[in-house]
Amino acid sequence: MLDINSLFSAGGALARSVPGYIVRPQQREMAQAIADTIASNTILIAEAGTGTGKTFAYLVPALMTGGKVIISTGTKTLQDQLFNRDIPTVQSALKVPVTVALLKGRANYVCHYHLERTFQESRPALVSREEVKYLNLIERYAKVSKSGDKSGLSEVPENASVWQYVTSTRDNCLGSNCPHYKDCFVMEARKQALSADVVVVNHHLFFADVMLRDEGLSELLPTCNTVIFDEAHQLPETASLFFGESVSTGQLLELARDSEAEALGSAKDFAPLPPAIAAMEKAARDFRLTVEGENTRMPVAAIKTNAKFAGALSELQEKLDSLIDLLESQAERSDGLENCWQRSREIAGRIKRWQEQAEAEGFVRWVEVFSQALQLNATPLSIAEIFNKQLGGSPRAWIFTSATLSVKGNFAHYNDQMGLNMGTIPSHSMCWESPFDFAHQALLYVPTGIPEPNSSRYTEEVVKAALPVLKASRGRAFFLCTSLRSMKKTYELLLEAFKQESLDYPLLLQGQGSRSHMLERFRKMGNAILIGSQSFWEGVDVRGEALSLVVIDKLPFAPPDDPVLAARIDKINKEGRNAFMEYQLPHAVINLKQGAGRLIRDETDRGVLMICDPRLISRPYGRKIWQSLPPMKRTRNLAEVEEFFSASSTATKV
């Protein structure tokens, strides 16, 4: 029997092997609960506050109890951290001979077929010298790399456009018909995952496979004994993406690009194909231009008032149908042309379903516009029943863990969203508070005199209230905003204020570089103020003095005009329930806990959490919100904040 107490004790395997290991009762209790869940093949929803050490708490029982384990985490960065650092550390301490594999979506691996085709194109798509240099680096890497994982080639930025030409997608992969099938990096990664004891994936990959049976997990799940979701608070949104259906102009442009390349290679003598491809590509680009702006989401009802939209969609369907007929006539000439024909039919089918489907029971149809693409979406109003079906089948343990799953210790919202209490498998919810001493390490400050968030001068007043706090903290702050618009306005107002008051704290704005690059600059500067939106609310770890203040402009309620949220609110209210209390408020609390969680990351950290939204005090629900936050001292007095920082400067953080 697994002796959790011994392994996590002061003289245990972890303490002897892991430098700086600290015994935490919460970690030991969580590990025991996970071990019990694995033994009984049940469901555990486990909230563990910052500093609990939840990664080790689930890794120890996962590695020690035997059987096949899938660990799914929120991002590829966390995947790499688990695979390259955390699992080897625990494995070494426990001396367990388990095999571990890392599995990512196919777009993360170099594709020999598309790499070769890009080199052979008579009209290369790569126009800049830099992209050509990257292409040569990738070719050399593909010859020597065992994994083909693009994260292993740091000289080529992860967002470089060249990657789309040298990786495959679910749509354009030739599968077993590919001439490079035996050397395929994706297939090798899947093969390793099938034979490994522990497989590390991410949420997008997990749900893509559950729905599409595409990425190799469909073979893994039946043999798996335990599934662990880390950063499990992200699951409802990720699952919604994959349990619905979408089609975008980006897919159409990719189809045009691939069809053109395949036509050049296998159907040069068929003159009608290139103009048909060009016509479809132009129709896709024109369709995108029917909706102005970018980063916009709108329901079908709103898009119906756009006269250009329907006409451009019909034109696109007509050009796509013409292309389908021509691709069909040439499909037998190569596997690549066959693939393009099948894809074009699938895309046309999705567009037709979206256009003709009356509002399907349980789904909402909507449109999203990005800078370069327009996407048609159909999203389920609830994922609970769909996800609950995945919990059936072979007996296995399901563990959901995060620092933010409950509202004041109540898990009803999360359970309802995920359908964890609908089936026959017993589920348990448990909560462990952070071991940090928040009463002494942190202060919650809600300023006075701020108007309601719908005021036209709200952002100006927030910046005005934050300025003396930023001076007291000597920079060293995250300024977290709930929208891109308020983020940009905050940056402009702070630039102006710093100029007027001759303050020289560096101001960093989200988007001035990748998130990892921005964080590196922030840490090195030591007195910077980073103004960010959603990207910096979670998954960011800055320890020590460099981050001593987190300012949150307003409570993170999702915009009520968002088409999916609006439809979900309408459904709940029509059922005679209270959508605000059951859905919107819990959602906002979980998001706020994520933002607040950036502040105290270590036993020696000290800092102030400033929440500017007056609703935290003025609304009856405000109490429920701040009671869900860590138990820090609260104040509305600026002098107390200044005193906190002056005391901090004498008891400097490491």
Side-chain angles (χ1 to χ4, degrees):
M1 174 144 172
L2 184 58
D3 187 354
I4 291 290
N5 284 337
S6 171
L7 291 169
F8 285 89
S9 69
L14 293 170
R16 289 196 305 271
S17 179
V18 181
Y21 178 78
I22 298 169
V23 174
R24 297 185 177 101
Q26 298 95 326
Q27 185 183 52
R28 186 178 64 240
E29 289 170 19
M30 182 178 173
Q32 186 62 62
I34 289 170
D36 294 342
T37 303
I38 293 173
S40 59
N41 285 329
T42 51
I43 298 169
L44 175 67
I45 303 99
E47 181 176 89
T50 309
T52 302
K54 63 183 168 66
T55 306
F56 280 19
Y58 67 69
L59 282 179
V60 169
L63 299 186
M64 292 292 285
T65 49
K68 195 172 188 79
V69 181
I70 294 176
I71 301 173
S72 180
T73 190
T75 62
K76 287 178 288 186
T77 305
L78 288 170
Q79 254 189 292
D80 288 332
Q81 183 181 303
L82 267 172
F83 181 75
N84 295 316
R85 190 187 76 186
D86 298 333
I87 293 176
T89 300
V90 174
Q91 202 175 353
S92 171
L94 302 179
K95 297 180 172 52
V96 281
V98 295
T99 53
V100 187
L102 182 68
L103 187 61
K104 298 180 182 177
R106 65 173 73 249
N108 293 279
Y109 301 95
V110 178
C111 169
H112 293 295
Y113 176 79
H114 287 95
L115 176 62
E116 182 180 80
R117 196 187 71 181
T118 302
F119 264 103
Q120 290 174 350
E121 280 181 13
S122 55
R123 187 184 64 77
L126 307 176
V127 287
S128 74
R129 257 187 214 168
E130 193 173 42
E131 284 182 327
V132 173
K133 181 186 87 173
Y134 289 157
L135 183 63
N136 290 320
L137 284 169
I138 293 167
E139 188 200 25
R140 288 203 290 274
Y141 175 68
K143 286 176 180 173
V144 297
S145 172
K146 287 184 179 176
S147 70
D149 186 338
K150 69 182 191 182
S151 69
L153 185 59
S154 56
E155 297 96 321
V156 181
E158 191 179 347
N159 59 354
S161 59
V162 66
W163 285 117
Q164 65 184 303
Y165 298 99
V166 298
T167 55
S168 70
T169 64
R170 175 177 175 263
D171 289 334
N172 67 20
C173 172
L174 300 183
S176 57
N177 294 323
C178 179
H180 299 278
Y181 185 71
K182 286 183 181 175
D183 303 315
C184 176
F185 289 124
V186 173
M187 294 313 298
E188 180 57 31
R190 290 182 182 180
K191 198 161 70 178
Q192 288 183 19
L194 278 170
S195 61
D197 300 309
V198 178
V199 186
V200 182
V201 301
N202 60 63
H203 301 337
H204 276 79
L205 176 63
F206 185 91
F207 284 107
D209 185 73
V210 162
M211 293 313 290
L212 307 172
R213 293 285 180 262
D214 175 57
E215 300 287 356
L217 277 173
S218 51
E219 298 169 76
L220 285 174
L221 268 176
T223 62
C224 163
N225 302 87
T226 303
V227 179
I228 299 171
F229 291 108
D230 198 350
E231 302 296 330
H233 64 278
Q234 297 176 2
L235 291 180
E237 193 169 332
T238 307
S240 290
L241 288 174
F242 290 101
F243 291 170
E245 188 173 74
S246 65
V247 58
S248 78
T249 55
Q251 288 171 294
L252 288 157
L253 298 182
E254 190 179 77
L255 171 67
R257 188 186 75 214
D258 291 341
S259 299
E260 185 179 18
E262 294 297 343
L264 280 169
S266 306
K268 268 186 183 173
D269 57 345
F270 188 64
L273 197 47
I277 294 167
M280 189 278 286
E281 183 178 3
K282 181 182 184 301
R285 293 187 189 280
D286 289 346
F287 182 47
R288 160 62 190 92
L289 296 174
T290 60
V291 182
E292 292 180 6
E294 57 185 76
N295 299 317
T296 305
R297 294 156 67 110
M298 57 190 77
V300 170
I303 206 72
K304 280 180 179 172
T305 63
N306 182 334
K308 297 178 190 171
F309 183 88
L313 182 54
S314 296
E315 176 74 5
L316 173 59
Q317 286 178 293
E318 185 185 313
K319 300 302 183 200
L320 181 56
D321 287 342
S322 299
L323 178 59
I324 289 169
D325 291 340
L326 293 173
L327 284 170
E328 182 180 13
S329 73
Q330 304 300 305
E332 62 185 20
R333 298 181 71 168
S334 76
D335 290 326
L337 282 168
E338 165 81 22
N339 173 269
C340 290
W341 172 50
Q342 297 291 1
R343 280 164 64 193
S344 61
R345 292 176 65 209
E346 169 63 24
I347 290 171
R350 283 192 217 168
I351 293 173
K352 194 174 182 187
R353 282 193 294 277
W354 187 91
Q355 189 186 27
E356 294 181 350
Q357 173 191 42
E359 202 64 65
E361 181 85 28
F363 279 78
V364 56
R365 288 184 302 145
W366 53 287
V367 173
E368 186 163 19
V369 180
F370 307 96
S371 59
Q372 302 293 323
L374 183 152
Q375 185 163 297
L376 309 175
N377 304 286
T379 304
L381 293 175
S382 167
I383 62 157
E385 287 184 21
I386 310 171
F387 184 74
N388 186 263
K389 286 176 185 170
Q390 311 307 321
L391 300 175
S394 308
R396 67 175 61 91
W398 296 84
I399 291 134
F400 301 79
T401 183
S402 168
T404 55
L405 293 173
S406 76
V407 177
K408 232 178 103 183
N410 186 325
F411 291 85
H413 174 67
Y414 189 77
N415 277 324
D416 289 346
Q417 276 190 298
M418 297 299 294
L420 301 181
N421 46 10
M422 293 172 65
T424 55
I425 306 170
S427 69
H428 309 276
S429 303
M430 301 181 80
C431 189
W432 290 274
E433 297 291 341
S434 168
F436 298 155
D437 184 2
F438 279 95
H440 292 95
Q441 287 180 252
L443 181 68
L444 170 61
Y445 171 51
V446 182
T448 56
I450 304 278
E452 288 292 304
N454 58 5
S455 160
S456 61
R457 288 195 48 79
Y458 185 77
T459 304
E460 283 89 343
E461 293 300 323
V462 163
V463 170
K464 190 171 151 188
L467 206 55
V469 185
L470 290 166
K471 288 183 196 172
S473 68
R474 306 190 309 281
R476 307 183 299 158
F478 271 9
F479 208 125
L480 301 178
C481 301
T482 51
S483 71
L484 291 170
R485 184 190 294 173
S486 60
M487 177 189 84
K488 286 169 185 168
K489 193 169 183 183
T490 297
Y491 177 69
E492 289 161 8
L493 290 166
L494 282 175
L495 273 178
E496 184 61 33
F498 280 21
K499 190 177 172 184
Q500 285 179 4
E501 302 205 21
S502 302
L503 298 172
D504 60 355
Y505 306 125
L507 281 175
L508 305 177
L509 178 67
Q510 176 184 314
Q512 290 174 339
S514 68
R515 187 168 80 158
S516 56
H517 174 66
M518 300 283 292
L519 285 171
E520 194 179 327
R521 286 179 66 198
F522 180 83
R523 288 188 187 103
K524 279 182 180 171
M525 287 172 170
N527 67 339
I529 298 161
L530 193 156
I531 303 153
S533 186
Q534 197 57 48
S535 292
F536 289 91
W537 279 73
E538 61 177 276
V540 174
D541 190 5
V542 179
R543 300 177 187 218
E545 280 195 298
L547 181 57
S548 298
L549 169 66
V550 170
V551 182
I552 292 176
D553 71 338
K554 65 173 78 165
L555 297 175
F557 286 105
D561 58 350
D562 177 272
V564 179
L565 178 65
R568 284 177 176 162
I569 290 170
D570 189 49
K571 177 179 181 285
I572 293 168
N573 287 337
K574 277 179 179 171
E575 290 168 357
R577 293 149 57 205
N578 185 327
F580 180 78
M581 295 305 290
E582 285 185 36
Y583 190 86
Q584 290 166 276
L585 182 61
H587 198 69
V589 169
I590 287 169
N591 282 346
L592 183 68
K593 284 167 72 175
Q594 278 293 330
R598 298 316 98 214
L599 183 64
I600 303 297
R601 307 296 301 175
D602 198 273
E603 283 88 350
T604 57
D605 280 0
R606 278 173 62 81
V608 169
L609 172 65
M610 178 179 179
I611 302 177
C612 302
D613 197 323
R615 292 175 295 182
L616 197 63
I617 306 298
S618 64
R619 295 289 197 274
Y621 58 76
R623 183 182 182 85
K624 198 171 201 175
I625 295 175
W626 59 252
Q627 284 183 338
S628 294
L629 294 171
M632 53 188 85
K633 187 184 173 188
R634 302 184 303 277
T635 186
R636 305 205 73 190
N637 188 337
L638 177 61
E640 280 192 54
V641 175
E642 292 168 334
E643 191 181 318
F644 180 93
F645 279 120
S646 62
S648 293
S649 63
T650 58
T652 307
K653 293 192 296 181
V654 177

